[in-house]
Amino acid sequence: FIHRPFTTTNSIQLEDARKSVSDTDPASVTYISGDHTPLKGVVLSHRAHVFNLVNFSENRFLIKRQKAVSVLPLAHSFERTMNYTFQYINLPVVYSDSFSTLPGVLQQFCPDVMVAVPYILERYESQFEKRNDFSYRLKNVFQRQTAWFLLYPNTFPLNVKLLVYDILKRFRSKDVNSMFGNNLDLIICGGAELDVKVLEKFRMQGIEVYEGYGLTEAGPVVTVNDRFRIKAGSAGLPLKGVELMLSPENEILVKSSGLMSSYFTPGDSPVDKKGWLHTGDTGTIDKKGFLTITGTIKTIFKLKNGLYVNPEYIEKRILSTSGNFHNIWVYGHNKNHLVALIIAAKHNAKDEECLNSIKQVVDSYNSDCEKQEQVKKFRVIHDEWNTENGLLNPDLSLNRRALYE
């Protein structure tokens, strides 16, 4: 919002107006919502935005890039910060209206950089060529072993890493190459945790994928992987100037100049008196400082027996074991046991073979988990969960409140 009226285009008055703005003045208000919580307007200052984009722009994977494609809504704080960063480093940006129009945009403009959430990568990975003939399997083994070197950035110099990516690009199938406009080789991924198997499949195609972690209240970017500092399955290392700490409950706490100033409407601030932002997410930090997200306090609930359950952990475990699931929602707050709604990957959710396959996966999961984490009942439906009907949030994560209602 603007709290100082400005109507002139005179350069002198423009400069005076610029000087009258303090770096601590509000620059934006981003409205977010959580489970069973009202909308909250996160106020970020000019300093917070600049801190985030300048420090993120120092990542070496952004050097010598040609063009980026933007597909997430600009109301999404991660996407907006990436756009600020691209403008800051003079990188042209083309915009896709939605995921459905993205293939055409990739074909027409041939960008080499894309910002995405895991959902988008998973949808593309499901279209990658899969065959059982000997030549394909041999090529697959070579790509997998070659991509393995990319997980050890401190062992090999940059020129060797770039050579490995170049080799993998040469083995990229024509279908995959065409799918991404024949030029894409970098994806910046955020908003949720990316399955390591999906990450590996993209690296096998010679496409660099770097994950990060953040939230609107933190500016938003907190951690990120890059070419020299990467750990598969982690959210990376803190940006320059960002401090991380875990609470006794393993909640991730963040301190930096990029934190929110306040909420626009009165409410309890997640920033404590010592300047630490309480994220509501849980994680681990290894000896090298890499952050791994393990869950979220906000979605953890109690069963009727008083035991806590983390539905995200269960959903990820079940989804990772079979290709028959398009999505799953686990619920059981104050209930005797867990139940689930499952979106089948196949079009006919009533197909007996499909139902039996899904039942086998759920039964297998139930046999290898704690009793309170067992899914006792589930229903398979043929439906669409998307942002249009409100069942997915803008970052394509489950809107648990809407699904419950």
Side-chain angles (χ1 to χ4, degrees):
F1 58 86
I2 298 174
H3 61 96
R4 291 186 177 91
F6 180 77
T7 57
T8 182
T9 57
N10 182 279
S11 61
I12 297 177
Q13 290 181 313
L14 178 62
E15 182 64 16
D16 289 341
R18 187 189 68 80
K19 290 179 179 179
S20 70
V21 177
S22 167
D23 62 350
T24 58
D25 283 348
S28 67
V29 179
T30 304
Y31 282 89
I32 60 172
S33 62
D35 296 338
H36 305 285
T37 60
L39 286 171
K40 294 181 179 180
V42 178
V43 179
L44 292 175
S45 67
H46 294 277
R47 179 175 62 186
H49 282 296
V50 172
F51 171 87
N52 230 243
L53 73 90
V54 169
N55 286 301
F56 188 86
S57 69
E58 293 183 0
N59 284 293
R60 284 159 286 191
F61 53 66
L62 291 174
I63 297 174
K64 296 182 179 179
R65 293 297 170 179
Q66 301 168 5
K67 190 183 300 177
V69 59
S70 173
V71 62
L72 301 176
L74 288 175
H76 194 298
S77 57
F78 171 55
E79 182 73 17
R80 189 168 67 251
T81 297
M82 293 303 98
N83 270 255
Y84 289 157
T85 302
F86 297 152
Q87 293 169 34
Y88 179 67
I89 63 175
N90 294 318
L91 181 66
V93 183
V94 295
Y95 295 88
S96 175
D97 292 338
S98 64
F99 177 71
S100 61
T101 61
L102 180 59
V105 173
L106 291 172
Q107 293 291 327
Q108 181 178 355
F109 295 99
C110 305
D112 58 337
V113 180
M114 180 168 72
V115 178
V117 291
Y119 174 83
I120 294 176
L121 272 63
E122 289 165 4
R123 292 292 292 270
Y124 269 110
E125 187 274 332
S126 68
Q127 300 175 45
F128 286 0
E129 182 183 37
K130 296 178 177 68
R131 302 201 316 265
N132 291 318
D133 58 89
F134 177 75
S135 62
Y136 172 79
R137 283 184 284 140
L138 183 63
K139 173 185 172 183
N140 191 268
V141 170
F142 171 78
Q143 289 176 307
R144 190 181 303 276
Q145 293 301 316
T146 306
W148 176 83
F149 286 95
L150 301 175
L151 298 179
Y152 296 89
N154 298 320
T155 307
F156 303 99
L158 178 59
N159 58 346
V160 174
K161 282 199 65 181
L162 294 179
L163 176 62
V164 171
Y165 272 116
D166 188 58
I167 293 172
L168 289 170
K169 289 175 193 175
R170 294 175 185 274
F171 280 85
R172 188 186 299 174
S173 69
K174 291 182 179 179
D175 290 342
V176 173
N177 215 22
S178 176
M179 189 185 299
F180 294 112
N182 299 301
N183 197 37
L184 189 74
D185 58 12
L186 170 65
I187 298 176
I188 304 169
C189 186
E193 181 182 354
L194 178 66
D195 191 316
V196 175
K197 293 180 180 178
V198 176
L199 173 66
E200 182 184 61
K201 292 291 180 62
F202 274 86
R203 286 171 180 262
M204 288 169 61
Q205 300 297 330
I207 299 175
E208 298 181 66
V209 179
Y210 297 106
E211 290 184 86
Y213 164 76
L215 64 165
T216 303
E217 290 92 335
V221 183
V222 174
T223 64
V224 68
N225 285 284
D226 69 18
R227 283 174 171 167
F228 287 97
R229 309 180 304 166
I230 186 169
K231 180 182 178 182
S234 82
L237 293 170
L239 288 184
K240 180 180 177 182
V242 173
E243 297 179 60
L244 289 184
M245 183 174 71
L246 297 179
S247 74
E249 297 78 26
N250 291 323
E251 182 181 9
I252 301 165
L253 308 182
V254 180
K255 182 186 288 188
S256 78
S257 297
L259 299 186
M260 61 180 283
S261 304
S262 64
Y263 285 126
F264 185 56
T265 52
D268 295 334
S269 173
V271 181
D272 63 28
K273 293 180 179 180
K274 295 183 179 180
W276 290 99
L277 169 68
H278 293 245
T279 65
D281 296 316
T282 58
T284 61
I285 301 174
D286 69 12
K287 294 180 180 179
K288 294 184 178 180
F290 284 95
L291 175 68
T292 300
I293 311 301
T294 57
T296 173
I297 293 174
K298 295 187 289 287
T299 57
I300 293 176
F301 55 72
K302 278 185 179 181
L303 293 173
K304 188 170 280 188
N305 61 13
L307 294 176
Y308 280 102
V309 172
N310 183 349
E312 287 187 339
Y313 168 76
I314 298 169
E315 290 156 358
K316 289 175 183 176
R317 273 196 60 182
I318 295 177
L319 284 172
S320 66
T321 58
S322 173
N324 288 325
F325 296 81
H326 185 63
N327 218 330
I328 179 173
W329 173 58
V330 173
Y331 183 75
H333 177 63
N334 204 33
K335 304 294 182 181
N336 290 320
H337 54 255
L338 298 179
V339 297
L341 279 180
I342 295 171
I343 302 292
K346 294 184 178 180
H347 291 296
N348 188 2
K350 297 182 180 180
D351 180 77
E352 187 172 345
E353 181 181 349
C354 175
L355 292 173
N356 288 336
S357 176
I358 289 174
K359 185 178 185 303
Q360 290 176 8
V361 172
V362 175
D363 288 344
S364 175
Y365 159 78
N366 284 338
S367 68
D368 188 34
C369 68
E370 297 294 330
K371 185 177 180 179
Q372 72 269 18
E373 294 179 335
Q374 293 179 346
V375 177
K376 297 293 186 179
K377 295 181 180 180
F378 67 89
R379 181 182 176 187
V380 181
I381 60 177
H382 178 55
D383 205 349
E384 279 291 329
W385 294 351
N386 51 48
T387 55
E388 284 75 18
N389 59 27
L391 297 180
L392 292 183
N393 293 313
D395 63 358
L396 304 181
S397 62
L398 296 178
N399 185 338
R400 298 179 185 276
R401 182 176 181 177
L403 286 165
Y404 172 75
E405 294 174 346

